[in-house]
Amino acid sequence: MSTLTRPKTDTVTTAPTTLRGPVRVLLRLHRKALWAGAALLVIGIGIVVALSVWMASSPVRCADGDTTRCGDDIYVSSYAHTSTETFLTDGGAVLVLLAALIGVFVAGPLIARELESGTFRLAWAQSVSPTQWLAARLAVPAALTVTGLMVLVIVYRWGLWALRAGPNSPGLRWHAEGVFPGTGPAVLGYALLAVAVGALCAVLVRRTLLSMSLSALVLAAVGIGLSTWRYLLWPAALRQGEGPKLLRDSDWHLEGGMLTASGSKVYWRDCYHAGSVEGYDACMRDRGGVTPFAEVHPASHYWPLQLVETGILLALAALAVFAAFRVLRRLHG
């Protein structure tokens, strides 16, 4: 073998090495944003812990947080309990909003600003390919955001468990819009989608403010759409009968009414004009109703709904990442 023969490049070892440089530069360039994100993480953890400690130390009469005499028909929670409940009611929505802000940051200062100002050419001139450049700007925020949100999800779930919600806490039920997305893997799907959409909008528009605005609009549309149609992501359970057999406190009630003798459904909403319980019953009977029914998502549907929503978000994120690389190659080779 000639001494002038160029040795073969080990692609397995060079791939991480080629990304190490862009990642290091990225972390150094945006270290202020990283410190700000770390500060938000610490503040979020501190607030949940402080509220939980305050609630646990507040004097109450009953184990469920009732401040009145145990066993009576009156439920009055402590001020600490009420304050903690108010804060945690929209905790899941806040986590999704944080994920969306990361996506807006990726779209603007992280990618579009460099494309708009032309500073990306300096990196590409230093043996960093466009693919490696974009991969670093996807991997770093994705890894940091998923790690930070995983910690916040654990803390948020602990805060909900420590709250010991009383009978007057409908806003903290597992299916509440402000709670559901922040208690499971769905929020991590939102985070990865936010990063992917931010990158796609940046390489498409290449203008900082416009990319940020477009990313916010896309992420808002996805979030509103999933929260509106979440109940359709998994088949609802049909219950028949009366009393506790029909509805439980942990159920997500979707629809209700009566079944006719032939098995068709007559919904309560069709008798809203009745105006009273007796009027409702008479209206339903006139329409052929025989057996009361309810369409619900029981608590056992929590994980199927979480996993289906997460799968949708990950699929959309993968499509956005694929499109971002395709657009970058088409524009810059």
Side-chain angles (χ1 to χ4, degrees):
M1 180 176 177
S2 173
T3 56
L4 297 178
T5 303
R6 185 176 180 177
K8 293 182 179 180
T9 304
D10 188 355
T11 57
V12 176
T13 58
T14 55
T17 304
T18 52
L19 278 179
R20 195 175 302 158
V23 168
R24 190 183 299 113
V25 172
L26 196 64
L27 293 174
R28 187 182 307 166
L29 184 63
H30 297 282
R31 57 184 178 274
K32 291 183 179 179
L34 292 175
W35 282 112
L40 287 176
L41 178 64
V42 173
I43 291 172
I45 295 173
I47 290 176
V48 175
V49 172
L51 287 172
S52 299
V53 171
W54 178 31
M55 185 188 64
S57 61
S58 62
V60 294
R61 293 179 179 269
C62 309
D64 61 355
D66 194 352
T67 59
T68 65
R69 183 170 58 84
C70 296
D72 60 11
D73 296 332
I74 302 174
Y75 178 85
V76 180
S77 60
S78 65
Y79 179 69
H81 189 286
T82 304
S83 300
T84 306
E85 178 184 340
T86 301
F87 179 80
L88 295 183
T89 296
D90 295 318
V94 171
L95 294 183
V96 174
L97 179 60
L98 287 176
L101 290 177
I102 298 297
V104 172
F105 174 79
V106 170
L110 202 63
I111 297 179
R113 182 179 295 174
E114 291 197 33
L115 294 175
E116 185 176 12
S117 62
T119 55
F120 66 94
R121 295 188 181 90
L122 178 62
W124 294 3
Q126 297 176 350
S127 70
V128 176
S129 68
T131 300
Q132 294 166 352
W133 177 84
L134 182 58
R137 279 150 182 78
L138 282 168
V140 172
L144 294 177
T145 304
V146 167
T147 302
L149 285 178
M150 283 181 63
V151 175
L152 289 176
V153 166
I154 294 172
V155 173
Y156 182 51
R157 288 179 66 94
W158 172 79
L160 290 174
W161 172 80
L163 186 60
R164 305 186 307 275
N168 296 326
S169 302
L172 292 175
R173 291 173 182 165
W174 66 268
H175 55 81
E177 289 186 7
V179 174
F180 180 85
T183 55
V187 70
L188 305 182
Y190 280 105
L192 294 175
L193 177 65
V195 173
V197 168
L200 177 59
C201 292
V203 297
L204 276 174
V205 180
R206 288 173 289 172
R207 295 292 183 272
T208 303
L209 293 178
L210 190 56
S211 298
M212 295 171 68
S213 302
L214 182 60
S215 298
L217 288 175
V218 172
L219 294 173
V222 173
I224 294 172
L226 284 175
S227 64
T228 302
W229 304 105
R230 181 172 292 136
Y231 69 96
L232 295 175
L233 298 181
W234 193 257
L238 178 65
R239 292 211 186 108
Q240 303 179 36
E242 296 181 358
K245 293 182 179 180
L246 192 63
L247 289 175
R248 304 187 183 107
D249 290 339
S250 60
D251 288 339
W252 180 5
H253 183 221
L254 303 178
E255 289 283 2
M258 283 189 173
L259 296 175
T260 64
S262 61
S264 60
K265 297 176 182 178
V266 181
Y267 292 99
W268 290 112
R269 64 171 181 265
D270 297 329
C271 291
Y272 280 164
H273 61 276
S276 65
V277 176
E278 295 77 9
Y280 276 120
D281 290 336
C283 176
M284 298 298 283
R285 301 294 180 187
D286 291 341
R287 293 172 178 266
V290 176
T291 305
F293 80 90
E295 295 176 354
V296 301
H297 280 304
S300 60
H301 285 190
Y302 168 81
W303 280 109
L305 288 168
Q306 277 277 346
L307 294 176
V308 171
E309 185 166 342
T310 304
I312 293 174
L313 292 167
L314 292 179
L316 293 175
L319 288 175
V321 169
F322 175 77
F325 279 103
R326 286 293 299 268
V327 171
L328 189 69
R329 290 194 194 101
R330 180 171 296 180
L331 294 177
H332 302 285

